[in-house]
């Protein structure tokens, strides 16, 4: 969850880098957190679907990830053509990971609440 949140935050920080060293630092952190996200994807898929379907689940996740990665750059180009800068594209690219990280933070709380309701019924 933290890596997902920081990927979005680092995406939003790219337009704020006015010095090359700052851009390098942001890209290093973004690469570190992206690597953490990719490394944890397989164990999470294994836990969710089991050993028999893990390869299909990872393929499905990577297939879903390919859609925004394919469509995103042309949309960023259109935004640049209309606005004259890529800043808005980077800010918009940071929103989905931050929202996704926030939703993932809420899931354990919701799950725990459901367990408490089930215990109360029993």
């Amino acid at each position: 969850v933290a890596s997902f949140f920081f990927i979005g935050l680092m995406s939003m920080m790219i337009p704020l880098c006015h010095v090359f060293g700052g851009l390098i630092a942001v890209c290093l952190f973004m690469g570190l957190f992206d690597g953490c996200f990719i490394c944890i994807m397989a164990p999470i898929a294994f836990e969710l679907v089991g050993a028999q379907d893990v390869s299909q689940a990872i393929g499905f996740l990577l297939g879903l990830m390919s859609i925004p990665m394919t469509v995103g750059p042309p949309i960023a180009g259109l935004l640049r053509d209309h606005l004259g800068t890529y800043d808005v594209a980077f800010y918009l690219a940071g929103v989905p990971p931050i929202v996704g990280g926030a939703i993932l933070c809420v899931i354990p709380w919701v799950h725990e609440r459901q367990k408490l309701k089930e215990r109360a019924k029993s």
Side-chain angles (χ1 to χ4, degrees), residues 6-42:
F6 279 108
I7 288 170
L9 187 65
M10 292 297 128
S11 293
M12 293 174 125
M13 288 183 65
I14 289 174
L16 303 175
C17 297
H18 299 291
V19 179
F20 186 65
L23 182 63
I24 289 174
V26 167
C27 289
L28 283 173
F29 280 114
M30 190 170 179
L32 174 71
F33 291 117
D34 186 50
C36 291
F37 171 71
I38 295 298
C39 288
I40 201 71
M41 191 170 54

PDB file of all heavy atoms in Angstrom, residues 6-42:
ATOM      1  N   PHE A   6       3.303   5.951  -2.729  1.00  0.00           N
ATOM      2  CA  PHE A   6       4.489   6.727  -3.084  1.00  0.00           C
ATOM      3  C   PHE A   6       4.727   6.781  -4.591  1.00  0.00           C
ATOM      4  O   PHE A   6       5.317   7.744  -5.088  1.00  0.00           O
ATOM      5  CB  PHE A   6       5.721   6.192  -2.359  1.00  0.00           C
ATOM      6  CG  PHE A   6       5.818   6.689  -0.956  1.00  0.00           C
ATOM      7  CD1 PHE A   6       5.575   5.841   0.107  1.00  0.00           C
ATOM      8  CD2 PHE A   6       6.123   8.008  -0.685  1.00  0.00           C
ATOM      9  CE1 PHE A   6       5.640   6.290   1.409  1.00  0.00           C
ATOM     10  CE2 PHE A   6       6.198   8.481   0.612  1.00  0.00           C
ATOM     11  CZ  PHE A   6       5.952   7.615   1.664  1.00  0.00           C
ATOM     12  N   ILE A   7       4.291   5.780  -5.337  1.00  0.00           N
ATOM     13  CA  ILE A   7       4.383   5.849  -6.798  1.00  0.00           C
ATOM     14  C   ILE A   7       3.566   7.032  -7.298  1.00  0.00           C
ATOM     15  O   ILE A   7       4.011   7.814  -8.146  1.00  0.00           O
ATOM     16  CB  ILE A   7       3.911   4.530  -7.447  1.00  0.00           C
ATOM     17  CG1 ILE A   7       4.926   3.428  -7.215  1.00  0.00           C
ATOM     18  CG2 ILE A   7       3.672   4.711  -8.944  1.00  0.00           C
ATOM     19  CD1 ILE A   7       4.436   2.044  -7.600  1.00  0.00           C
ATOM     20  N   GLY A   8       2.344   7.184  -6.780  1.00  0.00           N
ATOM     21  CA  GLY A   8       1.511   8.320  -7.170  1.00  0.00           C
ATOM     22  C   GLY A   8       2.112   9.641  -6.747  1.00  0.00           C
ATOM     23  O   GLY A   8       2.117  10.614  -7.501  1.00  0.00           O
ATOM     24  N   LEU A   9       2.647   9.687  -5.528  1.00  0.00           N
ATOM     25  CA  LEU A   9       3.253  10.914  -5.031  1.00  0.00           C
ATOM     26  C   LEU A   9       4.471  11.310  -5.866  1.00  0.00           C
ATOM     27  O   LEU A   9       4.637  12.490  -6.218  1.00  0.00           O
ATOM     28  CB  LEU A   9       3.651  10.727  -3.566  1.00  0.00           C
ATOM     29  CG  LEU A   9       4.143  11.952  -2.836  1.00  0.00           C
ATOM     30  CD1 LEU A   9       3.027  12.984  -2.718  1.00  0.00           C
ATOM     31  CD2 LEU A   9       4.652  11.565  -1.464  1.00  0.00           C
ATOM     32  N   MET A  10       5.307  10.343  -6.205  1.00  0.00           N
ATOM     33  CA  MET A  10       6.489  10.639  -7.018  1.00  0.00           C
ATOM     34  C   MET A  10       6.098  11.083  -8.430  1.00  0.00           C
ATOM     35  O   MET A  10       6.748  11.952  -9.011  1.00  0.00           O
ATOM     36  CB  MET A  10       7.415   9.423  -7.092  1.00  0.00           C
ATOM     37  CG  MET A  10       8.085   9.071  -5.792  1.00  0.00           C
ATOM     38  SD  MET A  10       9.170  10.351  -5.198  1.00  0.00           S
ATOM     39  CE  MET A  10       8.569  10.557  -3.550  1.00  0.00           C
ATOM     40  N   SER A  11       5.035  10.518  -8.984  1.00  0.00           N
ATOM     41  CA  SER A  11       4.561  10.961 -10.297  1.00  0.00           C
ATOM     42  C   SER A  11       4.154  12.421 -10.263  1.00  0.00           C
ATOM     43  O   SER A  11       4.427  13.184 -11.200  1.00  0.00           O
ATOM     44  CB  SER A  11       3.364  10.128 -10.757  1.00  0.00           C
ATOM     45  OG  SER A  11       3.734   8.809 -10.998  1.00  0.00           O
ATOM     46  N   MET A  12       3.512  12.820  -9.175  1.00  0.00           N
ATOM     47  CA  MET A  12       3.063  14.202  -9.045  1.00  0.00           C
ATOM     48  C   MET A  12       4.218  15.164  -8.763  1.00  0.00           C
ATOM     49  O   MET A  12       4.097  16.364  -9.005  1.00  0.00           O
ATOM     50  CB  MET A  12       2.027  14.316  -7.942  1.00  0.00           C
ATOM     51  CG  MET A  12       0.738  13.603  -8.260  1.00  0.00           C
ATOM     52  SD  MET A  12      -0.368  13.629  -6.870  1.00  0.00           S
ATOM     53  CE  MET A  12      -1.798  14.365  -7.635  1.00  0.00           C
ATOM     54  N   MET A  13       5.346  14.643  -8.278  1.00  0.00           N
ATOM     55  CA  MET A  13       6.489  15.500  -7.970  1.00  0.00           C
ATOM     56  C   MET A  13       7.383  15.777  -9.174  1.00  0.00           C
ATOM     57  O   MET A  13       8.203  16.686  -9.123  1.00  0.00           O
ATOM     58  CB  MET A  13       7.305  14.887  -6.834  1.00  0.00           C
ATOM     59  CG  MET A  13       6.605  14.974  -5.497  1.00  0.00           C
ATOM     60  SD  MET A  13       7.591  14.322  -4.148  1.00  0.00           S
ATOM     61  CE  MET A  13       8.948  15.481  -4.123  1.00  0.00           C
ATOM     62  N   ILE A  14       7.221  15.023 -10.246  1.00  0.00           N
ATOM     63  CA  ILE A  14       8.083  15.202 -11.417  1.00  0.00           C
ATOM     64  C   ILE A  14       8.016  16.624 -11.970  1.00  0.00           C
ATOM     65  O   ILE A  14       9.058  17.223 -12.246  1.00  0.00           O
ATOM     66  CB  ILE A  14       7.780  14.140 -12.492  1.00  0.00           C
ATOM     67  CG1 ILE A  14       8.288  12.782 -12.008  1.00  0.00           C
ATOM     68  CG2 ILE A  14       8.406  14.502 -13.839  1.00  0.00           C
ATOM     69  CD1 ILE A  14       7.935  11.616 -12.902  1.00  0.00           C
ATOM     70  N   PRO A  15       6.814  17.233 -12.140  1.00  0.00           N
ATOM     71  CA  PRO A  15       6.812  18.612 -12.655  1.00  0.00           C
ATOM     72  C   PRO A  15       7.419  19.636 -11.697  1.00  0.00           C
ATOM     73  O   PRO A  15       7.774  20.734 -12.116  1.00  0.00           O
ATOM     74  CB  PRO A  15       5.326  18.920 -12.863  1.00  0.00           C
ATOM     75  CG  PRO A  15       4.624  17.641 -12.823  1.00  0.00           C
ATOM     76  CD  PRO A  15       5.467  16.696 -12.042  1.00  0.00           C
ATOM     77  N   LEU A  16       7.558  19.292 -10.439  1.00  0.00           N
ATOM     78  CA  LEU A  16       8.114  20.220  -9.464  1.00  0.00           C
ATOM     79  C   LEU A  16       9.639  20.225  -9.449  1.00  0.00           C
ATOM     80  O   LEU A  16      10.241  21.044  -8.765  1.00  0.00           O
ATOM     81  CB  LEU A  16       7.585  19.881  -8.068  1.00  0.00           C
ATOM     82  CG  LEU A  16       6.062  19.880  -7.922  1.00  0.00           C
ATOM     83  CD1 LEU A  16       5.661  19.414  -6.534  1.00  0.00           C
ATOM     84  CD2 LEU A  16       5.496  21.240  -8.237  1.00  0.00           C
ATOM     85  N   CYS A  17      10.247  19.301 -10.171  1.00  0.00           N
ATOM     86  CA  CYS A  17      11.708  19.202 -10.208  1.00  0.00           C
ATOM     87  C   CYS A  17      12.265  20.186 -11.231  1.00  0.00           C
ATOM     88  O   CYS A  17      12.089  20.013 -12.432  1.00  0.00           O
ATOM     89  CB  CYS A  17      12.136  17.778 -10.567  1.00  0.00           C
ATOM     90  SG  CYS A  17      11.647  16.570  -9.367  1.00  0.00           S
ATOM     91  N   HIS A  18      12.942  21.213 -10.736  1.00  0.00           N
ATOM     92  CA  HIS A  18      13.522  22.211 -11.623  1.00  0.00           C
ATOM     93  C   HIS A  18      15.037  22.045 -11.748  1.00  0.00           C
ATOM     94  O   HIS A  18      15.682  22.759 -12.494  1.00  0.00           O
ATOM     95  CB  HIS A  18      13.183  23.613 -11.116  1.00  0.00           C
ATOM     96  CG  HIS A  18      11.705  23.864 -11.078  1.00  0.00           C
ATOM     97  ND1 HIS A  18      10.930  23.979 -12.212  1.00  0.00           N
ATOM     98  CD2 HIS A  18      10.853  23.995 -10.035  1.00  0.00           C
ATOM     99  CE1 HIS A  18       9.672  24.178 -11.878  1.00  0.00           C
ATOM    100  NE2 HIS A  18       9.590  24.181 -10.552  1.00  0.00           N
ATOM    101  N   VAL A  19      15.580  21.090 -10.992  1.00  0.00           N
ATOM    102  CA  VAL A  19      17.002  20.786 -11.041  1.00  0.00           C
ATOM    103  C   VAL A  19      17.133  19.313 -11.422  1.00  0.00           C
ATOM    104  O   VAL A  19      16.352  18.471 -10.976  1.00  0.00           O
ATOM    105  CB  VAL A  19      17.654  21.050  -9.658  1.00  0.00           C
ATOM    106  CG1 VAL A  19      19.125  20.713  -9.671  1.00  0.00           C
ATOM    107  CG2 VAL A  19      17.431  22.486  -9.230  1.00  0.00           C
ATOM    108  N   PHE A  20      18.132  19.011 -12.248  1.00  0.00           N
ATOM    109  CA  PHE A  20      18.296  17.644 -12.725  1.00  0.00           C
ATOM    110  C   PHE A  20      18.523  16.662 -11.579  1.00  0.00           C
ATOM    111  O   PHE A  20      18.027  15.537 -11.609  1.00  0.00           O
ATOM    112  CB  PHE A  20      19.454  17.579 -13.728  1.00  0.00           C
ATOM    113  CG  PHE A  20      19.603  16.237 -14.382  1.00  0.00           C
ATOM    114  CD1 PHE A  20      18.614  15.750 -15.220  1.00  0.00           C
ATOM    115  CD2 PHE A  20      20.723  15.464 -14.151  1.00  0.00           C
ATOM    116  CE1 PHE A  20      18.740  14.521 -15.822  1.00  0.00           C
ATOM    117  CE2 PHE A  20      20.865  14.226 -14.752  1.00  0.00           C
ATOM    118  CZ  PHE A  20      19.864  13.753 -15.592  1.00  0.00           C
ATOM    119  N   GLY A  21      19.233  17.067 -10.549  1.00  0.00           N
ATOM    120  CA  GLY A  21      19.464  16.192  -9.402  1.00  0.00           C
ATOM    121  C   GLY A  21      18.165  15.829  -8.690  1.00  0.00           C
ATOM    122  O   GLY A  21      18.001  14.703  -8.215  1.00  0.00           O
ATOM    123  N   GLY A  22      17.244  16.774  -8.622  1.00  0.00           N
ATOM    124  CA  GLY A  22      15.938  16.498  -8.019  1.00  0.00           C
ATOM    125  C   GLY A  22      15.158  15.481  -8.832  1.00  0.00           C
ATOM    126  O   GLY A  22      14.503  14.595  -8.278  1.00  0.00           O
ATOM    127  N   LEU A  23      15.227  15.603 -10.155  1.00  0.00           N
ATOM    128  CA  LEU A  23      14.553  14.643 -11.033  1.00  0.00           C
ATOM    129  C   LEU A  23      15.145  13.247 -10.870  1.00  0.00           C
ATOM    130  O   LEU A  23      14.407  12.257 -10.825  1.00  0.00           O
ATOM    131  CB  LEU A  23      14.651  15.095 -12.487  1.00  0.00           C
ATOM    132  CG  LEU A  23      13.956  14.209 -13.513  1.00  0.00           C
ATOM    133  CD1 LEU A  23      12.449  14.184 -13.269  1.00  0.00           C
ATOM    134  CD2 LEU A  23      14.259  14.689 -14.919  1.00  0.00           C
ATOM    135  N   ILE A  24      16.449  13.175 -10.728  1.00  0.00           N
ATOM    136  CA  ILE A  24      17.098  11.874 -10.513  1.00  0.00           C
ATOM    137  C   ILE A  24      16.625  11.257  -9.198  1.00  0.00           C
ATOM    138  O   ILE A  24      16.307  10.063  -9.138  1.00  0.00           O
ATOM    139  CB  ILE A  24      18.637  12.012 -10.541  1.00  0.00           C
ATOM    140  CG1 ILE A  24      19.097  12.299 -11.965  1.00  0.00           C
ATOM    141  CG2 ILE A  24      19.308  10.758 -10.001  1.00  0.00           C
ATOM    142  CD1 ILE A  24      20.565  12.585 -12.094  1.00  0.00           C
ATOM    143  N   ALA A  25      16.550  12.064  -8.138  1.00  0.00           N
ATOM    144  CA  ALA A  25      16.102  11.553  -6.841  1.00  0.00           C
ATOM    145  C   ALA A  25      14.665  11.051  -6.920  1.00  0.00           C
ATOM    146  O   ALA A  25      14.353   9.968  -6.415  1.00  0.00           O
ATOM    147  CB  ALA A  25      16.230  12.640  -5.773  1.00  0.00           C
ATOM    148  N   VAL A  26      13.778  11.811  -7.559  1.00  0.00           N
ATOM    149  CA  VAL A  26      12.383  11.400  -7.694  1.00  0.00           C
ATOM    150  C   VAL A  26      12.290  10.112  -8.497  1.00  0.00           C
ATOM    151  O   VAL A  26      11.552   9.191  -8.129  1.00  0.00           O
ATOM    152  CB  VAL A  26      11.539  12.527  -8.333  1.00  0.00           C
ATOM    153  CG1 VAL A  26      10.179  12.021  -8.779  1.00  0.00           C
ATOM    154  CG2 VAL A  26      11.371  13.680  -7.356  1.00  0.00           C
ATOM    155  N   CYS A  27      13.039  10.024  -9.576  1.00  0.00           N
ATOM    156  CA  CYS A  27      13.001   8.811 -10.404  1.00  0.00           C
ATOM    157  C   CYS A  27      13.572   7.599  -9.667  1.00  0.00           C
ATOM    158  O   CYS A  27      13.069   6.476  -9.832  1.00  0.00           O
ATOM    159  CB  CYS A  27      13.753   9.044 -11.714  1.00  0.00           C
ATOM    160  SG  CYS A  27      12.878  10.149 -12.834  1.00  0.00           S
ATOM    161  N   LEU A  28      14.610   7.796  -8.846  1.00  0.00           N
ATOM    162  CA  LEU A  28      15.148   6.686  -8.060  1.00  0.00           C
ATOM    163  C   LEU A  28      14.114   6.172  -7.069  1.00  0.00           C
ATOM    164  O   LEU A  28      13.915   4.957  -6.938  1.00  0.00           O
ATOM    165  CB  LEU A  28      16.418   7.125  -7.327  1.00  0.00           C
ATOM    166  CG  LEU A  28      17.680   7.208  -8.167  1.00  0.00           C
ATOM    167  CD1 LEU A  28      18.818   7.826  -7.360  1.00  0.00           C
ATOM    168  CD2 LEU A  28      18.088   5.843  -8.667  1.00  0.00           C
ATOM    169  N   PHE A  29      13.456   7.090  -6.358  1.00  0.00           N
ATOM    170  CA  PHE A  29      12.431   6.659  -5.406  1.00  0.00           C
ATOM    171  C   PHE A  29      11.254   6.011  -6.120  1.00  0.00           C
ATOM    172  O   PHE A  29      10.699   5.012  -5.661  1.00  0.00           O
ATOM    173  CB  PHE A  29      11.952   7.833  -4.555  1.00  0.00           C
ATOM    174  CG  PHE A  29      12.887   8.158  -3.433  1.00  0.00           C
ATOM    175  CD1 PHE A  29      13.571   9.359  -3.422  1.00  0.00           C
ATOM    176  CD2 PHE A  29      13.089   7.269  -2.395  1.00  0.00           C
ATOM    177  CE1 PHE A  29      14.437   9.666  -2.387  1.00  0.00           C
ATOM    178  CE2 PHE A  29      13.958   7.558  -1.351  1.00  0.00           C
ATOM    179  CZ  PHE A  29      14.636   8.769  -1.355  1.00  0.00           C
ATOM    180  N   MET A  30      10.877   6.568  -7.259  1.00  0.00           N
ATOM    181  CA  MET A  30       9.761   5.996  -8.012  1.00  0.00           C
ATOM    182  C   MET A  30      10.109   4.583  -8.490  1.00  0.00           C
ATOM    183  O   MET A  30       9.285   3.673  -8.428  1.00  0.00           O
ATOM    184  CB  MET A  30       9.398   6.886  -9.192  1.00  0.00           C
ATOM    185  CG  MET A  30       8.130   6.507  -9.875  1.00  0.00           C
ATOM    186  SD  MET A  30       7.678   7.798 -11.039  1.00  0.00           S
ATOM    187  CE  MET A  30       6.215   7.104 -11.708  1.00  0.00           C
ATOM    188  N   GLY A  31      11.317   4.391  -8.962  1.00  0.00           N
ATOM    189  CA  GLY A  31      11.760   3.066  -9.389  1.00  0.00           C
ATOM    190  C   GLY A  31      11.815   2.079  -8.239  1.00  0.00           C
ATOM    191  O   GLY A  31      11.434   0.912  -8.386  1.00  0.00           O
ATOM    192  N   LEU A  32      12.272   2.537  -7.069  1.00  0.00           N
ATOM    193  CA  LEU A  32      12.324   1.676  -5.890  1.00  0.00           C
ATOM    194  C   LEU A  32      10.927   1.213  -5.495  1.00  0.00           C
ATOM    195  O   LEU A  32      10.694   0.013  -5.286  1.00  0.00           O
ATOM    196  CB  LEU A  32      12.975   2.425  -4.730  1.00  0.00           C
ATOM    197  CG  LEU A  32      12.962   1.707  -3.390  1.00  0.00           C
ATOM    198  CD1 LEU A  32      13.917   0.523  -3.416  1.00  0.00           C
ATOM    199  CD2 LEU A  32      13.335   2.668  -2.280  1.00  0.00           C
ATOM    200  N   PHE A  33       9.982   2.144  -5.415  1.00  0.00           N
ATOM    201  CA  PHE A  33       8.631   1.779  -5.006  1.00  0.00           C
ATOM    202  C   PHE A  33       7.901   0.976  -6.079  1.00  0.00           C
ATOM    203  O   PHE A  33       7.106   0.095  -5.761  1.00  0.00           O
ATOM    204  CB  PHE A  33       7.837   3.027  -4.618  1.00  0.00           C
ATOM    205  CG  PHE A  33       8.331   3.659  -3.352  1.00  0.00           C
ATOM    206  CD1 PHE A  33       8.859   4.937  -3.349  1.00  0.00           C
ATOM    207  CD2 PHE A  33       8.301   2.959  -2.152  1.00  0.00           C
ATOM    208  CE1 PHE A  33       9.320   5.510  -2.187  1.00  0.00           C
ATOM    209  CE2 PHE A  33       8.760   3.530  -0.981  1.00  0.00           C
ATOM    210  CZ  PHE A  33       9.275   4.812  -1.001  1.00  0.00           C
ATOM    211  N   ASP A  34       8.188   1.246  -7.345  1.00  0.00           N
ATOM    212  CA  ASP A  34       7.589   0.444  -8.418  1.00  0.00           C
ATOM    213  C   ASP A  34       8.118  -0.990  -8.360  1.00  0.00           C
ATOM    214  O   ASP A  34       7.361  -1.943  -8.547  1.00  0.00           O
ATOM    215  CB  ASP A  34       7.888   1.079  -9.777  1.00  0.00           C
ATOM    216  CG  ASP A  34       7.162   0.379 -10.904  1.00  0.00           C
ATOM    217  OD1 ASP A  34       5.925   0.185 -10.778  1.00  0.00           O
ATOM    218  OD2 ASP A  34       7.808   0.033 -11.908  1.00  0.00           O
ATOM    219  N   GLY A  35       9.392  -1.143  -8.080  1.00  0.00           N
ATOM    220  CA  GLY A  35       9.958  -2.481  -7.928  1.00  0.00           C
ATOM    221  C   GLY A  35       9.342  -3.229  -6.758  1.00  0.00           C
ATOM    222  O   GLY A  35       9.054  -4.427  -6.850  1.00  0.00           O
ATOM    223  N   CYS A  36       9.103  -2.519  -5.655  1.00  0.00           N
ATOM    224  CA  CYS A  36       8.432  -3.149  -4.502  1.00  0.00           C
ATOM    225  C   CYS A  36       7.030  -3.602  -4.882  1.00  0.00           C
ATOM    226  O   CYS A  36       6.595  -4.691  -4.502  1.00  0.00           O
ATOM    227  CB  CYS A  36       8.361  -2.171  -3.333  1.00  0.00           C
ATOM    228  SG  CYS A  36       9.946  -1.796  -2.596  1.00  0.00           S
ATOM    229  N   PHE A  37       6.320  -2.771  -5.630  1.00  0.00           N
ATOM    230  CA  PHE A  37       4.961  -3.115  -6.042  1.00  0.00           C
ATOM    231  C   PHE A  37       4.955  -4.348  -6.941  1.00  0.00           C
ATOM    232  O   PHE A  37       4.155  -5.268  -6.749  1.00  0.00           O
ATOM    233  CB  PHE A  37       4.323  -1.920  -6.757  1.00  0.00           C
ATOM    234  CG  PHE A  37       3.021  -2.230  -7.410  1.00  0.00           C
ATOM    235  CD1 PHE A  37       1.887  -2.467  -6.648  1.00  0.00           C
ATOM    236  CD2 PHE A  37       2.914  -2.301  -8.788  1.00  0.00           C
ATOM    237  CE1 PHE A  37       0.679  -2.759  -7.239  1.00  0.00           C
ATOM    238  CE2 PHE A  37       1.713  -2.582  -9.394  1.00  0.00           C
ATOM    239  CZ  PHE A  37       0.588  -2.820  -8.619  1.00  0.00           C
ATOM    240  N   ILE A  38       5.845  -4.389  -7.909  1.00  0.00           N
ATOM    241  CA  ILE A  38       5.899  -5.524  -8.834  1.00  0.00           C
ATOM    242  C   ILE A  38       6.311  -6.799  -8.091  1.00  0.00           C
ATOM    243  O   ILE A  38       5.770  -7.882  -8.349  1.00  0.00           O
ATOM    244  CB  ILE A  38       6.867  -5.227 -10.006  1.00  0.00           C
ATOM    245  CG1 ILE A  38       6.342  -4.075 -10.852  1.00  0.00           C
ATOM    246  CG2 ILE A  38       7.086  -6.460 -10.859  1.00  0.00           C
ATOM    247  CD1 ILE A  38       5.012  -4.316 -11.525  1.00  0.00           C
ATOM    248  N   CYS A  39       7.253  -6.692  -7.149  1.00  0.00           N
ATOM    249  CA  CYS A  39       7.704  -7.877  -6.402  1.00  0.00           C
ATOM    250  C   CYS A  39       6.612  -8.452  -5.512  1.00  0.00           C
ATOM    251  O   CYS A  39       6.551  -9.659  -5.317  1.00  0.00           O
ATOM    252  CB  CYS A  39       8.922  -7.533  -5.554  1.00  0.00           C
ATOM    253  SG  CYS A  39      10.411  -7.290  -6.514  1.00  0.00           S
ATOM    254  N   ILE A  40       5.761  -7.612  -4.969  1.00  0.00           N
ATOM    255  CA  ILE A  40       4.734  -8.104  -4.046  1.00  0.00           C
ATOM    256  C   ILE A  40       3.477  -8.567  -4.789  1.00  0.00           C
ATOM    257  O   ILE A  40       2.621  -9.227  -4.203  1.00  0.00           O
ATOM    258  CB  ILE A  40       4.417  -7.021  -2.986  1.00  0.00           C
ATOM    259  CG1 ILE A  40       3.784  -7.631  -1.738  1.00  0.00           C
ATOM    260  CG2 ILE A  40       3.499  -5.967  -3.538  1.00  0.00           C
ATOM    261  CD1 ILE A  40       4.715  -8.423  -0.911  1.00  0.00           C
ATOM    262  N   MET A  41       3.385  -8.268  -6.073  1.00  0.00           N
ATOM    263  CA  MET A  41       2.203  -8.634  -6.851  1.00  0.00           C
ATOM    264  C   MET A  41       2.014 -10.160  -6.906  1.00  0.00           C
ATOM    265  O   MET A  41       0.893 -10.654  -6.734  1.00  0.00           O
ATOM    266  CB  MET A  41       2.301  -8.064  -8.266  1.00  0.00           C
ATOM    267  CG  MET A  41       1.030  -8.168  -9.051  1.00  0.00           C
ATOM    268  SD  MET A  41       1.066  -7.258 -10.588  1.00  0.00           S
ATOM    269  CE  MET A  41       2.517  -7.880 -11.386  1.00  0.00           C
ATOM    270  N   ALA A  42       3.082 -10.912  -7.112  1.00  0.00           N
ATOM    271  CA  ALA A  42       2.967 -12.371  -7.209  1.00  0.00           C
ATOM    272  C   ALA A  42       2.530 -13.011  -5.888  1.00  0.00           C
ATOM    273  O   ALA A  42       1.618 -13.842  -5.888  1.00  0.00           O
ATOM    274  CB  ALA A  42       4.278 -12.975  -7.701  1.00  0.00           C
TER     275      ALA A  42
END
